[in-house]
């Protein structure tokens, strides 16, 4: 065989992989969510460097193919070697199956995986050993299966990257890693959201055709197996390229440095982005970000929280009157952007109830979510804490016995519950809330007759609210006040809900339908609540967990973090608009201020109604950490990077200035050093406090 035939399985797969990657990159380039235009330099760069990244990633992921091909031979089946090797396989399989191996110490599914793998290897080796007449046919079908597996994975990855971009406007990130953990919910969501059968039918047909072509062109490898010397030459070339790839891939990632975030994402390779997200689920702030001496960071923070001292946020909060132990119901709404509401300019009338309720409530018109995931929103209203680098505290191992809103209410004699229509195991919510002394009401607690409609995410919001009313009726009878945190689920893809409730069919899988049904279910909740004796003694807090989309032209597009929030309590909270800039972490400290609670606080969040409050908002992804202040967005990122943008309202927004949410983000030509220091102070001190376990609850 000449060299081309020796490596034909590799280069035919390589040709297929780079072709699929190129097609996906072109599709994403022209995708409607890619809301930008590209300079010709950026376009050339993203396709050129993107191709190189794809090439080197392919070299790495074909390591298994190299191992498989290099061990194909006939000599290992000759007597007595074949019988010795087969005996070793059988012995190892028996040992792992019935012995106490080191795999058992790790537990989980690892021993089962090893047993399955060794069983397959033993059976296949036995067939090739004892059926020499059929060895070529068996080897052909094994070779075809390996090629098919690579083809199907390449196609599946391409489809997954498209749908992930369609949802989030980026390549794989933390969310994709989480999707591997919560497979039941995610697979169920995919099954309910997309035409899975046609997609996978087409996928397998295309994969079959491509596999047939590649096998036809490269089967010469198994028909005329390379000898030992030829295999060493192939291995030498592969190992050289493998080493080059290990060096080149990170170097190419450094080239993803355009001002246009979409250009960086399109240039990137999705597989490598997934690897980075998997390896960096927790980012060490002090290793990756710009820092100052801790004493300086806390001194800077003291300018924002004047009553703190030393390296802590501990301070005394004093009410201005007698404490008022009203019930509190906090409703966090799934994926609810400010732009859905009429007061922010929406003309589709998809939130009629919340629009009406806002006229009777204290409305925070200029509030920003801290992140773009539910766990970030839950962290913000529960811990009132900045969004630190890496995963939310909700999903970390050290997530228990934290200083929380629930802990404050517990101190005041409240019953404290977290209510969720899905399985609270998802996103580690059960572990987090139970570990912080919340009682949990989730789908597992529902009786069959309490569920009228559900999808993969849980029961519909109406069912959750019906359950909540029953529970609150019982709580009210106990004589103790209650604090109940309700998390909605219906406004989430696949956006299915009971038919006949609103004028958009429940099986249309429309986001507008999800928003409107969420609004309808909340109206039904308040209609029921108003009939209960505890209603007049209850404060209702309604806030979104995050926006419906986080994709934008920059790392942190401000309009993708603007969310609605209001406090409703007739005869207790005066209806008005609060228009100052504020953060999601400020909502619950403000509620505690309205109740005149006296308590020791560790919260970063503040009562925005107090005269000492200095307007600012914190927004972040898992690695880009931002501060909005003085109409400037400051972003600190790994590798000690700092960016600043002037936020300028776009013209011709048909709403009052306090409700305009769309900004042009123009890079600053001169750094605002004071804002850089303030941004660092928030995130560095928060990281230090978590690291040193200084945010535990006060006993």
């Amino acid at each position: 065989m000449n060299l081309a035939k020796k490596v034909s399985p590799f280069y035919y797969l390589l040709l297929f992989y780079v072709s699929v990657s190129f097609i996906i990159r072109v599709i994403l380039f022209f995708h409607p969510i890619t809301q930008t235009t590209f300079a010709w330099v950026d376009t050339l760069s993203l396709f050129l460097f993107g191709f190189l990244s794809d090439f080197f990633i392919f070299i790495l992921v074909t390591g298994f193919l190299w191992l498989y091909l290099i061990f194909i031979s006939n000599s290992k089946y000759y007597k007595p070697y074949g019988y010795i090797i087969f005996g070793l396989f059988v012995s190892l399989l028996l040992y792992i199956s019935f012995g106490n191996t080191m795999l058992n110490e790790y537990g989980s599914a690892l021993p089962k995986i090893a047993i399955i793998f060794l069983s397959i290897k033993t059976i296949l080796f036995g067939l090739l050993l004892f059926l020499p007449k059929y060895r070529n046919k068996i080897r052909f079908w094994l070779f075809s299966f390996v090629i098919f597996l690579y083809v199907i994975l390449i196609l599946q990855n391409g489809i997954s990257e498209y749908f992930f971009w369609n949802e989030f406007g980026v390549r794989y990130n933390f969310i994709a890693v989480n999707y591997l953990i919560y497979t039941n919910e995610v697979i169920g969501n995919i099954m309910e959201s997309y035409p899975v059968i046609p997609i996978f039918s087409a996928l397998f047909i295309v994969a079959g055709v491509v596999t047939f072509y590649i096998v036809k062109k490269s089967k010469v490898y198994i028909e005329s197996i390379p000898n030992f010397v030829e295999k060493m030459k192939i291995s030498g070339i592969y190992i050289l390229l493998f080493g080059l790839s290990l060096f080149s891939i990170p170097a190419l990632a450094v080239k993803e440095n355009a001002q246009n975030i979409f250009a960086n994402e399109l240039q990137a390779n999705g597989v490598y982005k997934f690897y980075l997200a998997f390896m960096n689920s927790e980012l060490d702030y002090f290793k990756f970000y710009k820092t100052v001496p801790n004493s300086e960071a806390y001194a800077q923070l003291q300018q924002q929280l004047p009553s703190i001292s030393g390296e802590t946020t501990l301070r005394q909060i004093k009410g201005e009157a007698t404490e008022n132990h009203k019930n509190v119901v906090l409703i966090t709404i799934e994926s609810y952007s400010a732009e859905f509401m009429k007061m922010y300019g929406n003309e589709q009338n998809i939130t009629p109830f919340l629009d009406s309720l806002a006229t009777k409530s204290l409305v925070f018109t200029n509030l920003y979510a801290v992140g773009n995931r539910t766990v970030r929103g839950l962290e913000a209203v529960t811990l009132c804490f900045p969004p630190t680098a890496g995963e939310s505290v909700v999903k970390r191992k050290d997530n228990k016995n934290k200083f929380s809103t629930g802990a404050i209410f517990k101190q005041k004699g409240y019953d404290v519950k977290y209510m969720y229509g899905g399985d609270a195991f998802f996103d580690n919510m059960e572990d987090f809330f139970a570990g912080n002394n919340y009682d949990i009401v989730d789908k597992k607690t529902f009786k069959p007759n309490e569920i009228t409609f559900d999808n993969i995410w849980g029961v519909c919001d109406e069912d959750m609210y019906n359950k909540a009313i029953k529970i609150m009726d019982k709580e009210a009878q106990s004589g103790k006040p209650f604090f109940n945190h309700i998390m909605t689920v219906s406004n989430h893809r696949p956006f299915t809900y009971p038919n006949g409730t609103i004028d958009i069919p429940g099986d249309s899988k429309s986001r507008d339908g999800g928003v409107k049904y969420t609004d309808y279910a909340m109206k039904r909740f308040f209609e029921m609540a108003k009939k209960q004796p505890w209603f007049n003694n209850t404060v209702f807090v309604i806030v979104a967990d995050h926006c419906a989309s986080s994709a934008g032209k920059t790392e942190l597009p401000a309009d993708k973090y603007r969310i609605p929030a209001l406090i409703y309590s007739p005869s207790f909270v005066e209806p008005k608009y609060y228009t100052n800039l504020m953060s999601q972490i400020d909502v619950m400290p403000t509620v505690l201020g309205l109740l005149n609670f006296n308590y020791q606080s560790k919260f970063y969040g503040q009562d925005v109604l107090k005269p000492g409050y200095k307007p600012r908002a914190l927004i972040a992804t898992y690695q880009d950490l931002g501060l909005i202040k003085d109409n400037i967005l400051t972003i600190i990122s790994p590798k000690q990077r700092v960016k600043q943008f002037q936020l300028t309202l776009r013209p011709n927004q048909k709403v009052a200035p306090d409700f305009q949410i769309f900004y042009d983000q123009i890079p600053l030509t001169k750094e605002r050093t004071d804002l850089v220091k303030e941004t660092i102070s928030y995130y560095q001190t928060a990281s230090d406090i978590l690291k040193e376990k200084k945010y535990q609850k006060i006993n």
Side-chain angles (χ1 to χ4, degrees), residues 191-258:
M191 295 290 289
E192 294 177 357
S193 300
Y194 301 106
V196 172
I197 293 176
I199 289 174
F200 276 90
S201 297
L203 174 68
F204 277 94
I205 291 171
V206 172
V209 171
V210 173
T211 300
F212 175 80
Y213 177 81
I214 293 177
V215 169
K216 182 180 178 181
K217 292 290 185 179
S218 60
K219 66 180 180 179
V220 65
Y221 184 96
I222 56 172
E223 292 175 344
S224 181
I225 301 169
N227 59 37
F228 179 79
V229 174
E230 291 171 330
K231 286 181 179 179
M232 288 301 98
K233 291 179 180 178
I234 294 171
S235 296
I237 295 171
Y238 180 77
I239 292 171
L240 182 65
L241 288 173
F242 192 92
L244 181 61
S245 299
L246 291 176
F247 170 79
S248 299
I249 291 169
L252 287 168
V254 174
K255 300 290 185 181
E256 297 160 17
N257 57 3

Side-chain angles (χ1 to χ4, degrees), residues 420 422 440-447 450 464 467 471:
Y420 178 61
I440 295 177
V441 178
D442 69 352
K443 188 178 179 180
K444 295 189 293 289
T445 69
F446 280 66
K447 298 176 182 177
E450 292 177 319
M464 181 69 257
K467 181 82 168 179
I471 291 171

Side-chain angles (χ1 to χ4, degrees), residues 316-336:
Q316 186 67 39
I317 304 295
K318 294 183 179 180
E320 298 176 350
T322 304
E323 287 192 358
N324 195 333
H325 290 187
K326 286 183 175 291
N327 306 312
V328 177
V329 176
L330 167 63
I331 301 174
T332 44
I333 313 175
E334 173 67 45
S335 305
Y336 214 77

